Amino acid sequence: MQRRDSRTALCRTGEGVYHWRLSPQAPPMRPCVERRACSGILDEARSSRHSPVTRDMTTAPSLRISELPAHAGQHVVVRAWVTHVRSSGKVAFAALRDGTGVAQAVFVKSQVGDDLWARFAELTTETSVEIAGEARVNPRAPSVLDIGVTRLEIIGPSPSDYPIQPKEHGIDFLLDHRHFWLRSPRQRAIMVIRNEVEQAIHDFFYERGFLRVDTPILTAAIGERSGLFATEYFEEGTAYLAQTGQLYGEAAAAAFGKIYTFGPTFRAEKSKTRRHLTEFWMIEPEVAWNDSEANMKLQEDFVEFLVQRVVQRRRPELDELERDVSKLERITAPFPRLNYTDAVALVQRKGSTAKWGDDLGAEDEALIVEDYDKPVFVFNYPKEAKAFYMKENPDDPRTVLCNDLLAPEGFGEMIGGSQREDDYDKLLARIKEEGLPIEAYDWYLDLRRYGTFTHAGFGLGLERTIAWICGIQHIREVIAFPRMMHRLRP
RNA sequence: UCCCCAGUAGCUCAGUUGGUCAGAGCAUCCGACUGUUAAUCGGAGGGUCGUAGGUUCAAGUCCUACCUGGGGAGCCA
């Protein structure tokens, strides 16, 4: 899009070029209604002889469906998609959706005339339309506004074989048609909540003086142990898609103090569970001078903030998903904390075969979480079970200063965090123990040579967090276009 | 990579110990209906039963392999 001046802009679509009016009173841009009048006039507009604004002002702007209740009793213009048609002899209905809400277009044969009545038959599921008429409250169904149609323009017809129906579908079919599935009310609710969470993340850190740092997606061999996606990279050989931004985040924390990253990460793990994607989004704060205790405090404040923000602002969407909101309202800091040794003893009492030194498996996590209605911290795991960069626990060198945060209701591990090893010699020894290529970590080791510092951070899995908040069992549903082992399209 | 389950109409599924087993609902199309909310009612079209072999007089059904998907484990967020 190209801005012309403070009030107009040119917008190009697949169908042509038309104008958007920027109203000082209404900051969100609205398309001019008479699109045909403005289309295909790029050259004229460039020469500044054409003034789309004055022409625009002669017509009423189209409204979003969410704005309709404020215009009840008035003549309105709406652009939307038809989700459903029903006919009853001499009255016909077309359910409408535009992403902001739903409405119902009403055609009464005796009022609309034969021509408009006949054109109702052209409406099929997912036809895109411009409809003009009177907005009015229907006493029989006050929640959905009627539009008594006086004008109908079919913008994009839709063949009668639209695959998504208002009924149960298999997950394979739905994922094959994800580009259509997103149009359903439930998927819209999930994406709205995802957007709310993302906005809340940025607000939380901005308000607390964190600097957002964008870390690279193409990296040399560095990061964690599990599978890497590889790609050719000019003369440098092989590049890998980032599994984490953490190591870069540590460098940024030494420069800026408090930082966070927000971006996609990639794991070529052949995982087939409801908790795994090959491409997922992660938030990774890194804070200079935070120890492990302060790190956990930040985590619980952060999680509380995200959950309560959604509860406060996205109640309709939570209701659409039939989420038990009372379970979310209870999510307030502080969260219960179990050190690893106590956690092992707990799951052993409950019949687990886990023994000290093992990482806790999914079943063990479920045993821990079942006693609580808040997320639970498990902290200070054995060194062998955790990554090389975690700081040795001075009180028990068999363990490291780290924590997992387990979501309630069986949604699993939401956060992994730790205080980082700040001792050069110990970090070097751990890199060697792990058999990692030292030359790839020279810059990371430099952070300990030039002004080492206590610091800690964590990674929060965005999709796991949203799945928990939404009460969605599988995280593939909380990202618009999930990437999994067997799914690369759409 | 390992364990378990499933592939039958556009979709969701039923199909009994192998023998009218090519079926239903929804969707689509045609017709009826003046207020429907996944409208209702009547009618029609629509399938090499995932693929390839095998057993049998006879296979959607039993066996083998492969393909595809789902659930779980491990790994992790």
Side-chain angles (χ1 to χ4, degrees):
Chain A
M1 193 173 73
Q2 176 187 3
R3 286 285 290 272
R4 295 291 303 173
D5 52 47
S6 63
R7 301 182 68 198
T8 62
L10 298 179
C11 185
R12 183 166 52 79
T13 72
E15 294 179 282
V17 178
Y18 59 101
H19 292 79
W20 295 73
R21 176 176 163 229
L22 305 181
S23 161
Q25 291 81 28
M29 290 187 293
R30 289 175 180 168
C32 62
V33 168
E34 296 300 330
R35 203 178 80 185
R36 280 177 302 178
C38 294
S39 63
I41 51 172
L42 178 59
D43 292 340
E44 190 182 352
R46 277 188 176 143
S47 71
S48 297
R49 286 193 302 269
H50 176 67
S51 175
V53 172
T54 52
R55 191 175 297 188
D56 184 8
M57 290 170 80
T58 64
T59 59
S62 74
L63 293 170
R64 301 290 177 178
I65 287 174
S66 61
E67 300 170 310
L68 286 183
H71 293 76
Q74 299 174 17
H75 184 268
V76 298
V77 177
V78 167
R79 287 174 174 156
W81 286 260
V82 173
T83 60
H84 211 81
V85 289
R86 288 181 293 274
S87 168
S88 184
K90 288 165 185 165
V91 181
F93 307 89
L96 303 175
R97 176 205 78 238
D98 76 345
T100 73
V102 295
Q104 178 170 258
V106 182
F107 298 74
V108 178
K109 190 177 183 183
S110 61
Q111 295 169 13
V112 299
D114 291 345
D115 181 53
L116 189 48
W117 179 256
R119 298 196 59 215
F120 172 82
E122 297 174 37
L123 298 180
T124 57
T125 301
E126 294 303 320
T127 300
S128 54
V129 294
E130 180 176 298
I131 280 177
E134 184 194 351
R136 59 194 183 218
V137 176
N138 177 4
R140 300 174 194 86
S143 60
V144 178
L145 237 66
D146 277 2
I147 301 171
V149 178
T150 56
R151 184 171 64 82
L152 165 66
E153 183 180 347
I154 292 173
I155 295 168
S158 176
S160 62
D161 59 354
Y162 182 74
I164 307 278
Q165 299 171 31
K167 57 170 285 191
E168 290 291 315
H169 290 292
I171 189 64
D172 187 38
F173 177 82
L174 287 171
L175 287 172
D176 283 344
H177 297 87
R178 183 61 168 167
H179 50 304
F180 290 145
W181 189 19
L182 288 174
R183 302 181 182 191
S184 72
R186 176 184 163 87
Q187 298 307 310
R188 193 198 82 95
I190 294 169
M191 291 306 139
V192 166
I193 290 172
R194 181 184 175 108
N195 181 66
E196 190 65 50
V197 171
E198 291 189 0
Q199 188 62 49
I201 287 164
H202 297 309
D203 290 348
F204 177 89
F205 289 120
Y206 188 87
E207 289 166 5
R208 285 159 182 75
F210 283 65
L211 200 65
R212 176 176 172 180
V213 176
D214 299 320
T215 54
I217 290 168
L218 288 166
T219 67
I222 190 165
E224 300 189 4
R225 287 171 285 195
S226 51
L228 291 157
F229 286 108
T231 186
E232 289 178 29
Y233 198 79
F234 307 112
E235 261 74 86
E236 294 293 317
T238 305
Y240 301 92
L241 299 184
Q243 297 183 318
T244 170
Q246 179 202 312
L247 305 189
Y248 298 98
E250 290 184 51
F256 311 124
K258 300 194 284 187
I259 68 95
Y260 73 107
T261 73
F262 183 99
T265 52
F266 306 88
R267 307 268 167 102
E269 299 158 352
K270 293 189 174 179
S271 299
K272 284 178 62 178
T273 83
R274 72 180 74 165
R275 300 184 309 281
H276 288 87
L277 299 169
T278 54
E279 177 181 304
F280 65 98
W281 289 67
M282 193 150 64
I283 294 86
E284 297 179 284
E286 194 71 35
V287 183
W289 315 115
N290 262 14
D291 61 9
S292 189
E293 182 63 29
N295 194 36
M296 285 191 272
K297 180 76 170 63
L298 180 64
Q299 289 169 51
E300 61 192 6
D301 287 349
F302 182 47
V303 170
E304 175 188 332
F305 184 88
L306 300 184
V307 172
Q308 296 312 321
R309 171 75 166 260
V310 172
V311 168
Q312 286 159 18
R313 299 195 186 182
R314 295 300 171 190
R315 195 59 174 261
E317 284 75 19
L318 290 170
D319 291 343
E320 168 73 36
L321 298 171
E322 298 177 328
R323 183 67 166 111
D324 183 348
V325 177
S326 69
K327 287 197 165 80
L328 298 177
E329 287 170 333
R330 284 198 281 271
I331 307 305
T332 53
F335 299 158
R337 300 180 188 198
L338 277 175
N339 79 46
Y340 168 84
T341 303
D342 293 341
V344 171
L346 172 69
V347 297
Q348 284 175 343
R349 280 202 303 278
K350 293 188 175 199
S352 170
T353 56
K355 58 185 190 300
W356 203 98
D358 297 340
D359 202 356
L360 297 172
E363 281 180 35
D364 297 321
E365 291 181 359
L367 291 174
I368 292 167
V369 161
E370 66 184 5
D371 294 339
Y372 302 95
D373 55 7
K374 291 185 184 184
V376 181
F377 286 111
V378 179
F379 62 95
N380 294 4
Y381 283 71
K383 189 183 293 182
E384 291 71 28
K386 289 294 175 182
F388 72 95
Y389 49 71
M390 297 184 178
K391 183 170 178 62
E392 185 179 283
N393 181 2
D395 297 330
D396 182 358
R398 300 177 303 163
T399 64
V400 288
L401 297 174
C402 70
N403 71 271
D404 286 350
L405 182 64
L406 309 178
E409 302 174 68
F411 282 88
E413 187 181 333
M414 184 166 38
I415 286 179
S418 67
Q419 189 173 331
R420 318 306 190 189
E421 183 56 75
D422 48 40
D423 183 285
Y424 178 89
D425 293 326
K426 285 181 175 170
L427 182 60
L428 180 60
R430 289 288 288 135
I431 289 173
K432 286 178 176 172
E433 279 174 34
E434 296 280 337
L436 297 168
I438 291 173
E439 61 279 7
Y441 292 89
D442 53 358
W443 67 264
Y444 185 66
L445 284 160
D446 277 351
L447 303 177
R448 279 73 182 169
R449 293 177 64 211
Y450 295 87
T452 193
F453 62 124
T454 300
H455 60 295
F458 62 91
L460 175 136
L462 182 65
E463 285 78 15
R464 288 185 183 180
T465 303
I466 295 167
W468 163 52
I469 292 173
C470 290
I472 301 288
Q473 289 303 311
H474 200 304
I475 65 170
R476 65 190 164 204
E477 221 179 314
V478 307
I479 185 168
F481 295 98
R483 290 291 171 260
M484 293 174 287
M485 184 167 58
H486 293 297
R487 201 164 290 277
L488 193 54
R489 57 179 64 90

